[in-house]
Each structure stands twice: as C-alpha cells, then as structure tokens.
Amino acid sequence: MVIFDRSDLEGVDVDGPADAQAIVFVHGAMFTKEMWLPQRRALADEYRVVALDLPGHGTFADETFRMEPAIDRLEETIETATDGSAVLVGLSLGGYVATEYASRHPEQVDGLVLTGSSANPVGGMRLVTRANGTLARLLTRPDIGKRAVDRLATRWVRNRDLPPDIEAAIIDAGFYPKQFGDAGPDVRGVNFREKLSTYPGPTLIVNGEHDKVMRRGEREHGAAAQDARIEVLAGVGHICNLHRPETYNARLRNFMHQRVAPRQG
C-alpha cells in the first residue's frame, strides 16, 4: 500500500512510502516541480519521491534565481522530507544545482541522475551561456515577449503525449523563461565537470539524442565522474523526461535497482 503525504515545506511535494529510498527531483529553468509529475506518479509505488520549486519559479516566482538560495532550499528539503539522504535527479539548471550540491554534501547524495547538463559552462560554452542568458532577458522583458514564450511553451507541452491532468498541472504552474537569464551569472564560468569529479557515488547521465547544445561533452562529463554511465534517449531533445516519460522512468528505475545500494533494515 502506498502512503501519500505532503511535506510541510512551502513549494515541496512529497509522495510515496515514508520509509522508502528517497528521490529528489530538481527542475530546469522555466518549468516548475510539476514537470516531474510523470516520474513522481510512476515511481511513488516504490520510492519516496520529492520535488521542489527553485527560486524564481512556481511558488517562488517573486524571487530571482541564485545558486546559494537554491542549494539552501535543496538542503532543507532533504533534511525535512527524507531520512537525510536521497538520489538527486536534475534536468538542465536542476542538473547543475544537483551537481553543486553533491560536490558539497556527498554523504547526503545516494546517487546522481543528470539530464541536459553535460555541457560545461567554461571556455567557449561560457560565452554561449552568456549569450543565451542575454537573449532570454531581452525576449522576456516586454510583456508581449513573455506572452509569446508562454504560448510556445504551452503548445509544446500540449503536443506531448501526457495525461490531461498532468498536462494541465504543468501549464497551470506557469513558465518562467526570465530565469534563463537570471541563472546565467551563477552558472557560467563554473567548472561543474570538476565538481562532478569529486562525487564518489553512482551517476547516470541521460540525455535526449537531439539536445545538441546541452549534451555537448557528455563523454568527457561521464569520464570525469568516478562511477558514471551514459545513456541517450533516441528521437528526443532537451526535456526528454516529458517527451518520452515511460522510457525515462524505466531508465530511472533501472538505475535505482542496479546502481543505488539498497536500504538496510
């Protein structure tokens, strides 16, 4: 029997058995914790699944994304909604947040799953990150630009093969494209590959085949990690957990079964 409960933390959702292995999902820029609903629904029978909103998104839309508050919020979530450690699953910006957290608190991270965050924002990629951030700020500054991005994002979600209630929840939570630009200063120039190399636990790098920018350097990223496996989902792009949720869920479950040490007792 699955026990469903809610965390007392604002902007955090918790489902699944209280005594099960915890998985904490960290969303990418523009989306919210609701982007993980297909994974949370599929895995809550076996795991304690937790998802949080980052600064500047969803519950905290009135804030600006910064890495330090994001790390603090993730730490508070792990301490409050788990038994003190969890597997971290991060996509895009969430992948960089998860990597930063694992480098600081490896004892609290049972495993890492990183999607769309293999590109290391140093050197030439530092310039790409800056350009993307500038473009995001320019496009979302006028109201008309924000509305256009909202329409495109809404259309993209509706074109996925998602259950109607999940589709509605993702759209109703809103989209926050300005955070692409706001996150830039805290991400560009940071050697996340070096940070990943300090984490001793199991890592799964899973990217969409057509994510041409954010999967750049995935082999080097995997080689830098101490215990990593790389998997590529065919025919999909950056947000592959929504494009092919069943396949993504299967890869997560396999990782949990094969690479994450089972709980004792």
Side-chain angles (χ1 to χ4, degrees), residues 31-96:
F31 283 84
T32 71
K33 58 183 170 58
E34 308 305 330
M35 75 171 294
W36 295 112
L37 276 171
Q39 285 67 53
R40 290 157 51 192
R41 180 173 291 180
L43 298 171
D45 62 331
E46 187 175 358
Y47 301 103
R48 183 168 177 85
V49 291
V50 183
L52 70 155
D53 278 335
L54 293 175
H57 302 78
T59 308
F60 308 107
D62 59 342
E63 300 179 6
T64 297
F65 179 87
R66 289 292 180 265
M67 183 63 77
E68 290 306 319
I71 293 297
D72 290 345
R73 191 157 289 148
L74 181 53
E75 182 170 26
E76 185 180 21
T77 298
I78 291 174
E79 290 178 351
T80 303
T82 79
D83 66 358
S85 69
V87 171
L88 298 187
V89 181
L91 185 144
S92 195
L93 177 61
Y96 294 120

Side-chain angles (χ1 to χ4, degrees), residues 4-265:
F4 293 94
D5 58 20
R6 313 298 287 182
S7 168
D8 291 333
L9 280 177
E10 185 181 13
V12 177
D13 289 340
V14 183
D15 301 293
D19 59 348
Q21 168 68 57
I23 307 174
V24 176
F25 292 92
V26 192
H27 65 80
M30 191 167 86
F31 283 84
T32 71
K33 58 183 170 58
E34 308 305 330
M35 75 171 294
W36 295 112
L37 276 171
Q39 285 67 53
R40 290 157 51 192
R41 180 173 291 180
L43 298 171
D45 62 331
E46 187 175 358
Y47 301 103
R48 183 168 177 85
V49 291
V50 183
L52 70 155
D53 278 335
L54 293 175
H57 302 78
T59 308
F60 308 107
D62 59 342
E63 300 179 6
T64 297
F65 179 87
R66 289 292 180 265
M67 183 63 77
E68 290 306 319
I71 293 297
D72 290 345
R73 191 157 289 148
L74 181 53
E75 182 170 26
E76 185 180 21
T77 298
I78 291 174
E79 290 178 351
T80 303
T82 79
D83 66 358
S85 69
V87 171
L88 298 187
V89 181
L91 185 144
S92 195
L93 177 61
Y96 294 120
V97 173
T99 301
E100 179 70 36
Y101 189 88
S103 73
R104 299 188 192 187
H105 306 288
E107 73 286 351
Q108 295 179 344
V109 180
D110 300 321
L112 268 179
V113 180
L114 305 175
T115 299
S117 51
S118 299
N120 204 24
V122 297
M125 282 305 301
R126 183 178 187 273
L127 299 178
V128 172
T129 304
R130 173 180 289 180
N132 287 341
T134 301
L135 180 61
R137 286 192 295 271
L138 289 174
L139 288 176
T140 57
R141 185 174 298 167
D143 288 343
I144 190 171
K146 173 64 164 63
R147 290 196 299 269
V149 172
D150 285 348
R151 285 195 299 271
L152 288 172
T154 297
R155 185 182 307 161
W156 186 91
V157 172
R158 286 177 174 161
N159 284 338
R160 303 310 107 200
D161 187 19
L162 298 170
D165 60 328
I166 290 181
E167 176 186 292
I170 294 172
I171 293 171
D172 290 347
F175 303 101
Y176 305 89
K178 181 175 178 292
Q179 299 309 315
F180 279 115
D182 289 341
D186 279 16
V187 173
R188 65 174 179 260
V190 178
N191 193 332
F192 286 98
R193 194 162 295 157
E194 183 176 282
K195 291 177 180 291
L196 177 60
S197 72
T198 68
Y199 173 64
T203 300
L204 173 63
I205 297 171
V206 53
N207 291 320
E209 177 187 12
H210 300 315
D211 189 5
K212 299 303 183 184
V213 174
M214 297 307 293
R215 64 174 287 214
R216 286 184 61 181
E218 67 184 359
R219 291 184 181 180
E220 292 82 358
H221 218 59
Q226 296 185 32
D227 180 16
R229 175 183 298 172
I230 299 171
E231 298 188 20
V232 177
L233 303 191
V236 296
H238 187 56
I239 313 173
C240 54
N241 74 299
L242 293 180
H243 204 154
R244 290 183 62 192
E246 291 184 1
T247 303
Y248 193 91
N249 297 344
R251 302 298 173 88
L252 279 183
R253 202 180 287 273
N254 287 344
F255 175 74
M256 299 296 295
H257 289 171
Q258 298 172 10
R259 308 293 301 287
V260 177
R263 291 293 175 99
Q264 301 296 320

